[in-house]
């Protein structure tokens, strides 16, 4: 099984950006955690991060016939991007939405998620472990 992990804008700044919200571990630490977990359970992962909406759309489109599942943290694009939603719908690959922080307890605008209507599940507020939960969920539900 192959899972594409997509991270949106500013996640490359983990460890620097608002550590009281996102923690002090780095993006590199997140990638290492994901890779080690995937290897342990026998899943191939590709991890991608971009600050640019179009690059995220392109990456989703490139996943057709190459990826069995998508874990996506669109970050700020969660609340604004119909383009990312449309790309997910177009490729029709099972996806799980992940957020490091509990967006339901944050600013009003963060309550809006365009991708949620497509994703099979949303995991928020579980820190970096939410990514592992999302991978495990996709593995468990593969083929359903």
């Amino acid at each position: 099984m192959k899972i594409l992990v997509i991270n949106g804008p500013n996640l490359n700044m983990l460890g620097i950006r608002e550590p009281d919200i996102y923690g002090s571990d780095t993006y590199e630490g997140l990638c290492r955690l994901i890779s080690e977990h995937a290897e342990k359970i026998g899943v191939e992962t590709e991890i991608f991060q971009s600050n640019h909406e179009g690059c995220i759309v392109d990456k989703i489109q490139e996943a057709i016939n190459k990826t069995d599942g998508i874990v996506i943290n669109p970050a700020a694009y969660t609340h604004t991007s119909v383009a990312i939603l449309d790309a997910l719908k177009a490729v029709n690959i099972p996806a799980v939405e992940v957020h490091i922080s509990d967006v339901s307890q944050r600013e009003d605008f963060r309550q809006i998620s365009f991708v949620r209507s497509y994703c099979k599940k949303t995991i928020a507020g579980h820190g970096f472990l939410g990514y592992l939960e999302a991978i495990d969920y996709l593995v468990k539900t593969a083929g359903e």
Side-chain angles (χ1 to χ4, degrees):
M1 177 169 206
K2 182 172 183 180
I3 295 176
L4 173 61
V5 180
I6 298 175
N7 287 294
N10 299 310
L11 287 167
N12 58 310
M13 300 298 288
L14 288 170
I16 297 168
R17 177 184 178 219
E18 300 177 279
D20 54 316
I21 295 173
Y22 300 104
S24 58
D25 204 356
T26 64
Y27 183 71
E28 292 75 21
L30 172 62
C31 293
R32 186 172 44 257
L33 181 72
I34 291 168
S35 296
E36 289 171 358
H37 180 72
E39 184 177 337
K40 182 175 139 185
I41 64 170
V43 171
E44 181 184 349
T45 55
E46 178 183 355
I47 303 170
F48 175 79
Q49 187 277 328
S50 180
N51 295 318
H52 305 283
E53 183 180 30
C55 293
I56 295 169
V57 169
D58 290 344
K59 193 65 173 177
I60 293 167
Q61 291 177 359
E62 290 167 10
I64 291 178
N65 300 320
K66 298 178 188 170
T67 301
D68 302 301
I70 295 173
V71 172
I72 185 164
N73 182 344
Y77 291 133
T78 302
H79 323 293
T80 64
S81 183
V82 174
I84 291 173
L85 168 62
D86 286 349
L88 288 168
K89 289 166 68 175
V91 300
N92 197 30
I93 298 169
V96 175
E97 174 186 18
V98 172
H99 298 285
I100 295 169
S101 69
D102 185 354
V103 291
S104 71
Q105 300 301 312
R106 295 186 61 196
E107 303 94 335
D108 288 345
F109 71 87
R110 293 188 196 274
Q111 309 310 308
I112 298 164
S113 171
F114 285 98
V115 301
R116 188 163 297 148
S117 67
Y118 174 78
C119 291
K120 294 176 74 169
K121 183 175 182 135
T122 297
I123 301 169
H126 297 188
F128 287 8
L129 295 179
Y131 287 85
L132 309 187
E133 292 176 42
I135 290 167
D136 291 346
Y137 178 82
L138 287 170
V139 169
K140 179 181 172 187
T141 60
E144 287 184 1

